[in-house]
Amino acid sequence: MSKSITARRLTAAALTAGALTAAVAVPATAADHGHRAQRQSVEISAVQYDSPGRDTRSNRSLNREWVEITNNTRRAVNLDGWTLEDEDGHTYTFRHYRLDGRATVRVHTGQGRDTRTDVYQDRRNYVWDNRSDTATLRNDHRRFVDSESWGHHRHGGRH
């Protein structure tokens, strides 16, 4: 066998092994990142669970605690009846709200006037635990959509 044929076969074998290694490594990496590895159509995109500054329970402080919900599709999604809940069962239910395509809405804890980009739970107490909690989003059929956890539940929430 010539040296060039042997070299080509070794190169082909190395490339095949590299491709197999890469194919196997991708799912392992994706699994390590949980549901965040694959972008969902509607997801919890950010959580500010610890209101900046001192927790004074003022409306301003309460509204600096929020959860962002993002629609990653081009089509609007009707969130009427969808819920956002913490581990203690505090639940916010979206009423007559339509989230535009490629848009984000911020759900504030305190009181305020709802707009296209900000809605308010109208609470007088904090919802999200600073140490550990899980924000869970469910659709109008109570089916799990997404969750975001922090603290000791950091690697996934209740479904």
PDB file of all heavy atoms in Angstrom, residues 92 95 112-116 118-122:
ATOM      1  N   TYR A  92     -49.679  34.978  39.480  1.00  0.00           N
ATOM      2  CA  TYR A  92     -50.159  36.091  38.668  1.00  0.00           C
ATOM      3  C   TYR A  92     -50.795  35.485  37.418  1.00  0.00           C
ATOM      4  O   TYR A  92     -50.194  34.635  36.769  1.00  0.00           O
ATOM      5  CB  TYR A  92     -49.017  37.027  38.264  1.00  0.00           C
ATOM      6  CG  TYR A  92     -49.452  38.058  37.247  1.00  0.00           C
ATOM      7  CD1 TYR A  92     -50.214  39.151  37.646  1.00  0.00           C
ATOM      8  CD2 TYR A  92     -49.134  37.909  35.903  1.00  0.00           C
ATOM      9  CE1 TYR A  92     -50.638  40.087  36.713  1.00  0.00           C
ATOM     10  CE2 TYR A  92     -49.551  38.843  34.972  1.00  0.00           C
ATOM     11  CZ  TYR A  92     -50.303  39.928  35.380  1.00  0.00           C
ATOM     12  OH  TYR A  92     -50.732  40.851  34.463  1.00  0.00           O
ATOM     13  N   ARG A  95     -54.409  38.646  32.099  1.00  0.00           N
ATOM     14  CA  ARG A  95     -55.788  38.913  31.680  1.00  0.00           C
ATOM     15  C   ARG A  95     -55.761  39.817  30.449  1.00  0.00           C
ATOM     16  O   ARG A  95     -55.173  40.900  30.482  1.00  0.00           O
ATOM     17  CB  ARG A  95     -56.573  39.616  32.793  1.00  0.00           C
ATOM     18  CG  ARG A  95     -56.727  38.780  34.034  1.00  0.00           C
ATOM     19  CD  ARG A  95     -57.789  37.710  33.841  1.00  0.00           C
ATOM     20  NE  ARG A  95     -57.886  36.898  35.034  1.00  0.00           N
ATOM     21  CZ  ARG A  95     -57.928  35.575  35.022  1.00  0.00           C
ATOM     22  NH1 ARG A  95     -57.897  34.923  33.893  1.00  0.00           N
ATOM     23  NH2 ARG A  95     -58.011  34.908  36.146  1.00  0.00           N
ATOM     24  N   GLY A 112     -49.165  49.301  39.409  1.00  0.00           N
ATOM     25  CA  GLY A 112     -48.885  50.200  38.296  1.00  0.00           C
ATOM     26  C   GLY A 112     -49.935  50.046  37.221  1.00  0.00           C
ATOM     27  O   GLY A 112     -50.873  49.258  37.345  1.00  0.00           O
ATOM     28  N   ARG A 113     -49.768  50.798  36.154  1.00  0.00           N
ATOM     29  CA  ARG A 113     -50.690  50.751  35.022  1.00  0.00           C
ATOM     30  C   ARG A 113     -50.081  49.868  33.940  1.00  0.00           C
ATOM     31  O   ARG A 113     -48.980  50.124  33.474  1.00  0.00           O
ATOM     32  CB  ARG A 113     -50.935  52.152  34.496  1.00  0.00           C
ATOM     33  CG  ARG A 113     -51.753  52.154  33.223  1.00  0.00           C
ATOM     34  CD  ARG A 113     -52.199  53.512  32.860  1.00  0.00           C
ATOM     35  NE  ARG A 113     -53.496  53.656  33.536  1.00  0.00           N
ATOM     36  CZ  ARG A 113     -54.167  54.771  33.591  1.00  0.00           C
ATOM     37  NH1 ARG A 113     -53.687  55.858  33.057  1.00  0.00           N
ATOM     38  NH2 ARG A 113     -55.323  54.815  34.196  1.00  0.00           N
ATOM     39  N   ASP A 114     -50.808  48.818  33.554  1.00  0.00           N
ATOM     40  CA  ASP A 114     -50.321  47.887  32.543  1.00  0.00           C
ATOM     41  C   ASP A 114     -50.124  48.585  31.200  1.00  0.00           C
ATOM     42  O   ASP A 114     -50.941  49.424  30.796  1.00  0.00           O
ATOM     43  CB  ASP A 114     -51.298  46.725  32.358  1.00  0.00           C
ATOM     44  CG  ASP A 114     -51.377  45.811  33.571  1.00  0.00           C
ATOM     45  OD1 ASP A 114     -50.544  45.949  34.495  1.00  0.00           O
ATOM     46  OD2 ASP A 114     -52.273  44.950  33.600  1.00  0.00           O
ATOM     47  N   THR A 115     -49.032  48.222  30.521  1.00  0.00           N
ATOM     48  CA  THR A 115     -48.742  48.705  29.171  1.00  0.00           C
ATOM     49  C   THR A 115     -48.398  47.489  28.309  1.00  0.00           C
ATOM     50  O   THR A 115     -48.452  46.349  28.783  1.00  0.00           O
ATOM     51  CB  THR A 115     -47.553  49.683  29.166  1.00  0.00           C
ATOM     52  OG1 THR A 115     -46.359  48.977  29.525  1.00  0.00           O
ATOM     53  CG2 THR A 115     -47.786  50.855  30.120  1.00  0.00           C
ATOM     54  N   ARG A 116     -47.984  47.712  27.086  1.00  0.00           N
ATOM     55  CA  ARG A 116     -47.582  46.599  26.216  1.00  0.00           C
ATOM     56  C   ARG A 116     -46.296  45.940  26.699  1.00  0.00           C
ATOM     57  O   ARG A 116     -46.058  44.776  26.412  1.00  0.00           O
ATOM     58  CB  ARG A 116     -47.385  47.105  24.786  1.00  0.00           C
ATOM     59  CG  ARG A 116     -48.686  47.558  24.157  1.00  0.00           C
ATOM     60  CD  ARG A 116     -48.449  48.073  22.791  1.00  0.00           C
ATOM     61  NE  ARG A 116     -48.156  46.924  21.916  1.00  0.00           N
ATOM     62  CZ  ARG A 116     -48.007  47.008  20.627  1.00  0.00           C
ATOM     63  NH1 ARG A 116     -48.090  48.167  20.037  1.00  0.00           N
ATOM     64  NH2 ARG A 116     -47.769  45.938  19.910  1.00  0.00           N
ATOM     65  N   ASP A 118     -44.980  46.353  30.105  1.00  0.00           N
ATOM     66  CA  ASP A 118     -44.932  46.176  31.557  1.00  0.00           C
ATOM     67  C   ASP A 118     -46.328  45.888  32.090  1.00  0.00           C
ATOM     68  O   ASP A 118     -47.270  46.612  31.767  1.00  0.00           O
ATOM     69  CB  ASP A 118     -44.396  47.447  32.238  1.00  0.00           C
ATOM     70  CG  ASP A 118     -42.970  47.754  31.843  1.00  0.00           C
ATOM     71  OD1 ASP A 118     -42.061  47.194  32.474  1.00  0.00           O
ATOM     72  OD2 ASP A 118     -42.766  48.544  30.892  1.00  0.00           O
ATOM     73  N   VAL A 119     -46.432  44.832  32.915  1.00  0.00           N
ATOM     74  CA  VAL A 119     -47.683  44.543  33.618  1.00  0.00           C
ATOM     75  C   VAL A 119     -47.360  44.431  35.106  1.00  0.00           C
ATOM     76  O   VAL A 119     -46.215  44.214  35.491  1.00  0.00           O
ATOM     77  CB  VAL A 119     -48.391  43.269  33.091  1.00  0.00           C
ATOM     78  CG1 VAL A 119     -48.847  43.459  31.648  1.00  0.00           C
ATOM     79  CG2 VAL A 119     -47.514  42.053  33.235  1.00  0.00           C
ATOM     80  N   TYR A 120     -48.388  44.590  35.936  1.00  0.00           N
ATOM     81  CA  TYR A 120     -48.188  44.677  37.379  1.00  0.00           C
ATOM     82  C   TYR A 120     -49.077  43.681  38.115  1.00  0.00           C
ATOM     83  O   TYR A 120     -50.260  43.542  37.787  1.00  0.00           O
ATOM     84  CB  TYR A 120     -48.471  46.106  37.847  1.00  0.00           C
ATOM     85  CG  TYR A 120     -47.519  47.085  37.200  1.00  0.00           C
ATOM     86  CD1 TYR A 120     -47.777  47.603  35.933  1.00  0.00           C
ATOM     87  CD2 TYR A 120     -46.341  47.444  37.830  1.00  0.00           C
ATOM     88  CE1 TYR A 120     -46.885  48.470  35.317  1.00  0.00           C
ATOM     89  CE2 TYR A 120     -45.448  48.314  37.227  1.00  0.00           C
ATOM     90  CZ  TYR A 120     -45.727  48.820  35.965  1.00  0.00           C
ATOM     91  OH  TYR A 120     -44.822  49.664  35.366  1.00  0.00           O
ATOM     92  N   GLN A 121     -48.500  43.025  39.125  1.00  0.00           N
ATOM     93  CA  GLN A 121     -49.253  42.060  39.930  1.00  0.00           C
ATOM     94  C   GLN A 121     -50.118  42.754  40.980  1.00  0.00           C
ATOM     95  O   GLN A 121     -50.980  42.126  41.579  1.00  0.00           O
ATOM     96  CB  GLN A 121     -48.291  41.092  40.624  1.00  0.00           C
ATOM     97  CG  GLN A 121     -47.503  40.232  39.656  1.00  0.00           C
ATOM     98  CD  GLN A 121     -46.736  39.147  40.371  1.00  0.00           C
ATOM     99  OE1 GLN A 121     -47.300  38.425  41.201  1.00  0.00           O
ATOM    100  NE2 GLN A 121     -45.456  39.015  40.076  1.00  0.00           N
ATOM    101  N   ASP A 122     -49.850  44.022  41.247  1.00  0.00           N
ATOM    102  CA  ASP A 122     -50.600  44.819  42.234  1.00  0.00           C
ATOM    103  C   ASP A 122     -50.501  44.245  43.638  1.00  0.00           C
ATOM    104  O   ASP A 122     -51.474  44.239  44.399  1.00  0.00           O
ATOM    105  CB  ASP A 122     -52.067  44.977  41.805  1.00  0.00           C
ATOM    106  CG  ASP A 122     -52.205  45.802  40.534  1.00  0.00           C
ATOM    107  OD1 ASP A 122     -51.354  46.696  40.314  1.00  0.00           O
ATOM    108  OD2 ASP A 122     -53.143  45.559  39.760  1.00  0.00           O
TER     109      ASP A 122
END
